[in-house]
Amino acid sequence: MPNFPWLTTIILFPIAASLLIPVIPDKEGKTVRWFALIVGLIDFALIVAAFYTGYDFSNPDLQLVESYSWIPQIDLKWSVGVDGLSMPLIILTGFITTLAALAAWPVTFKPRLFYFLLLAMYGGQIAVFAVQDMLLFFLVWELELIPVYLLLAIWGGKKRHYAATKFILYTAGGSLFILLGSLTMAFYGDNITFDMSSLALKDYALNLQLLLYAGFLIAYAVKLPIIPLHTWLPDAHGEATAPVHMLLAGILLKMGGYALIRMNAQMLPDAHAYFAPVLVILGVVNIIYAALTSFAQRNLKRKIAYSSISHMGFVTIGMASFTDLGLSGAVLQMVSHGLIGASLFFLVGATYDRTHTLMLDEMGGVGKRMKKIFAMFTTCSMASLALPGMSGFVAELMVFVGFATSDAYNPTFKVIVVLLMAVGVILTPIYLLSMLREIFYGQENDELVSHQALIDAEPREVFIIACLLVPIIGIGFYPKLLTQVYDATTVQLTQRLRDSVPTLTAEKAIQHVSVNTPVIAQ
């Protein structure tokens, strides 16, 4: 069915289905949760069907393109399409959201509203990765703010209102830069258009590119997140429930990385050459600072949240490497961390449901009573610390080698960055293994054991973790399983970044910013 509107159907189906939830006869929420799970499975099946019937690995350009006129006076269209950057993340979104619906099984407080928000968010997140119109991108980017805010504010912990308000202020504030940048690009030049492909072809002045790049960087740095615009994330994770954790870690953070590659690198390649060293430095700061901060956390959720921030630093370094391998590693890291982060936060939620505490000082010895959770938590932690045979190892290794072999930076700068990345990799197993020891080993907390039933994992929980571990291990042993999906696109993009501006090489860009960043001066 070459003319079937795959992407429009995939985006609108869960949103339309969510509108049926208020009329479903259901007193206890059991019917609603099955309805949401079935809708998630159907939409994920549609994503897989679109991938196998309409996506060509060897084609680096947009595929499954659909375009319908909306406001012709300003060339605003419902325009969607996928390429190697977006297809893996759309598959990840369908996979994680469907599992999140299953993870939300214990939700009994206002289940109709919960699953309504979950399904509405499903379609909005897929739209972020599929739309090819800048104004439409801004609209769907904003669409997910309200569901996340309500999911935090209604079902969160004791400080849920503070965390939800901080989330909305940070992300909405960053979104203003997207709107202003989109309008500037659309009205620049002789023709008014919001089409991304057309915008990428406009001949922007270099100073304007730099200004647009800086604005977009602020907006997407909030979502990635990049230090110092990261502080909303530990608070949000600290108050969220397990399924919301999975959506935050598995999908929302990837929206920032995707947008940086799509908007900043692909549409503003001249400015990217100037900002690339800055991205590398910010990535190193993310890796080291967040790892050290995670090591000091005594709250389990905040410890994993800072771990997520640390791992996302590899994404910014990979996209600034100017190598095929580095950019490929950045995309792989986004998918890998989506799977690993979702699994860890789900297990944090499962542990909290049993112990009713997040403080490591109050745990200890629970591995004797929860052997399945102990085994799953250990396996997922090994994936997070980049154990060989897991997807995290492959992704981080690709970024390491890709940056180390880049000819865009002088050898001294590369050595410093690689050594600092290595320090971050060393810190990761220290705080993760220490976390496992404090939760599962040692002497049991008598008060905890006497007041709580520390039952082991139920089949539903084992199934969710098994579903996440299959691709984590599969990609770890056979990375081509994923890299073949996007290689054509990343190779084309890297070539454009290296060749788009003959008079401005990355080496000159480094010299240009050396006044503000003397550590990388020639």
Side-chain angles (χ1 to χ4, degrees):
M1 291 184 292
N3 297 321
F4 184 77
W6 284 110
L7 294 177
T8 300
T9 304
I10 290 167
I11 293 169
L12 297 183
F13 174 68
I15 297 175
S18 68
L19 299 176
L20 298 177
I21 288 180
V23 300
I24 295 176
D26 185 16
K27 293 183 178 180
E28 299 179 357
K30 294 181 179 179
T31 305
V32 170
R33 69 187 186 186
W34 276 107
F35 175 80
L37 179 60
I38 292 171
V39 169
L41 288 170
I42 292 174
D43 208 52
F44 182 59
L46 288 171
I47 294 172
V48 174
F51 175 71
Y52 277 104
T53 60
Y55 186 80
D56 179 10
F57 294 167
S58 62
N59 184 359
D61 301 321
L62 287 175
Q63 304 175 54
L64 300 173
V65 176
E66 303 167 37
S67 183
Y68 310 101
S69 180
W70 189 0
I71 305 177
Q73 289 82 356
I74 58 173
D75 196 30
L76 179 59
K77 303 174 182 178
W78 171 264
S79 178
V80 291
V82 295
D83 60 7
L85 295 178
S86 50
M87 195 71 216
L89 296 173
I90 289 176
I91 296 174
L92 178 70
T93 300
F95 186 61
I96 296 295
T97 308
T98 303
L99 290 177
L102 185 58
W105 225 244
V107 173
T108 56
F109 180 67
K110 297 185 178 180
R112 289 179 186 272
L113 179 58
F114 185 93
Y115 286 107
F116 168 82
L117 296 171
L118 188 71
L119 292 180
M121 192 173 169
Y122 194 167
Q125 289 172 327
I126 293 176
V128 168
F129 300 122
V131 297
Q132 299 301 320
D133 183 283
M134 281 293 286
L135 188 56
L136 185 59
F137 176 84
F138 169 76
L139 294 176
V140 296
W141 183 273
E142 292 293 283
L143 178 63
E144 52 82 26
L145 296 184
I146 297 175
V148 176
Y149 173 81
L150 292 176
L151 288 169
L152 286 172
I154 297 175
W155 290 273
K158 294 180 180 180
K159 297 181 180 180
R160 58 186 181 274
H161 298 298
Y162 169 78
T165 302
K166 193 172 184 178
F167 165 79
I168 201 76
L169 289 176
Y170 268 70
T171 51
S175 297
L176 291 176
F177 292 96
I178 303 177
L179 178 60
L180 293 174
S182 300
L183 293 173
T184 302
M185 296 175 73
F187 286 91
Y188 183 86
D190 298 330
N191 63 315
I192 300 174
T193 179
F194 287 96
D195 179 72
M196 290 184 183
S197 299
S198 300
L199 292 176
L201 297 175
K202 285 189 176 184
D203 186 19
Y204 305 100
L206 179 58
N207 288 338
L208 178 60
Q209 276 207 42
L210 294 172
L211 186 62
L212 290 169
Y213 195 106
F216 287 142
L217 178 59
I218 292 172
Y220 305 138
V222 171
K223 194 62 67 76
L224 191 60
I226 294 175
I227 294 169
L229 302 176
H230 69 290
T231 58
W232 66 270
L233 183 66
D235 290 320
H237 272 307
E239 304 304 320
T241 56
V244 180
H245 280 311
M246 296 174 70
L247 297 175
L248 283 172
I251 305 170
L252 258 72
L253 305 190
K254 313 309 170 286
M255 291 165 57
Y258 165 79
L260 272 176
I261 298 175
R262 174 72 73 196
M263 311 297 176
N264 290 46
Q266 191 173 56
M267 299 178 66
L268 303 168
D270 301 2
H272 183 71
Y274 282 91
F275 274 92
V278 178
L279 289 178
V280 173
I281 294 172
L282 289 173
V284 170
V285 172
N286 257 44
I287 293 171
I288 300 295
Y289 174 82
L292 290 172
T293 307
S294 179
F295 185 75
Q297 295 298 310
R298 306 307 300 160
N299 181 295
L300 185 55
K301 287 185 177 181
R302 295 180 70 89
K303 181 179 283 287
I304 302 298
Y306 276 104
S307 176
S308 293
I309 296 171
S310 178
H311 286 299
M312 295 308 290
F314 288 94
V315 175
T316 60
I317 294 174
M319 71 176 66
S321 66
F322 291 95
T323 63
D324 299 338
L325 189 62
L327 183 57
S328 178
V331 178
L332 183 60
Q333 176 72 348
M334 286 194 287
V335 177
S336 171
H337 179 266
L339 298 167
I340 296 171
S343 66
L344 280 175
F345 275 114
F346 173 73
L347 288 170
V348 169
T351 304
Y352 175 76
D353 289 342
R354 289 158 172 80
T355 62
H356 290 266
T357 181
L358 292 170
M359 304 309 296
L360 293 171
D361 297 331
E362 299 173 2
M363 298 183 185
V366 299
K368 300 175 182 178
R369 297 174 180 268
M370 303 189 300
K371 296 180 181 179
K372 293 177 184 177
I373 289 182
F374 170 44
M376 293 188 296
F377 218 133
T378 302
T379 304
C380 294
S381 296
M382 295 299 107
S384 183
L385 61 81
L387 185 74
M390 304 283 197
S391 59
F393 171 78
V394 180
E396 293 182 11
L397 180 64
M398 290 172 69
V399 173
F400 262 102
V401 178
F403 183 80
T405 57
S406 174
D407 58 3
Y409 303 94
N410 66 60
T412 302
F413 180 58
K414 288 196 295 185
V415 169
I416 293 173
V417 171
V418 170
L419 287 176
L420 290 175
M421 284 196 291
V423 171
V425 172
I426 293 171
L427 288 174
T428 305
I430 294 176
Y431 65 72
L432 286 177
L433 294 177
S434 174
M435 174 192 73
L436 292 174
R437 174 181 57 80
E438 292 186 89
I439 299 172
F440 298 106
Y441 291 92
Q443 187 174 357
E444 290 183 342
N445 184 328
D446 294 334
E447 183 179 351
L448 181 68
V449 174
S450 61
H451 288 83
Q452 306 295 339
L454 299 179
I455 59 174
D456 209 349
E458 59 184 61
R460 177 183 59 87
E461 295 168 325
V462 175
F463 176 78
I464 290 173
I465 294 299
C467 288
L468 291 166
L469 284 176
V470 166
I472 290 172
I473 297 173
I475 294 170
F477 278 98
Y478 190 62
K480 190 177 178 181
L481 186 70
L482 178 61
T483 58
Q484 64 181 346
V485 176
Y486 61 77
D487 269 346
T489 302
T490 54
V491 168
Q492 182 188 68
L493 176 56
T494 302
Q495 190 63 40
R496 186 185 180 200
L497 292 174
R498 297 177 67 90
D499 300 340
S500 61
V501 187
T503 60
L504 177 62
T505 64
E507 192 75 21
K508 290 181 180 179
I510 294 172
Q511 294 174 355
H512 177 81
V513 298
S514 62
V515 175
N516 297 320
T517 52
V519 69
I520 58 174
Q522 295 294 322

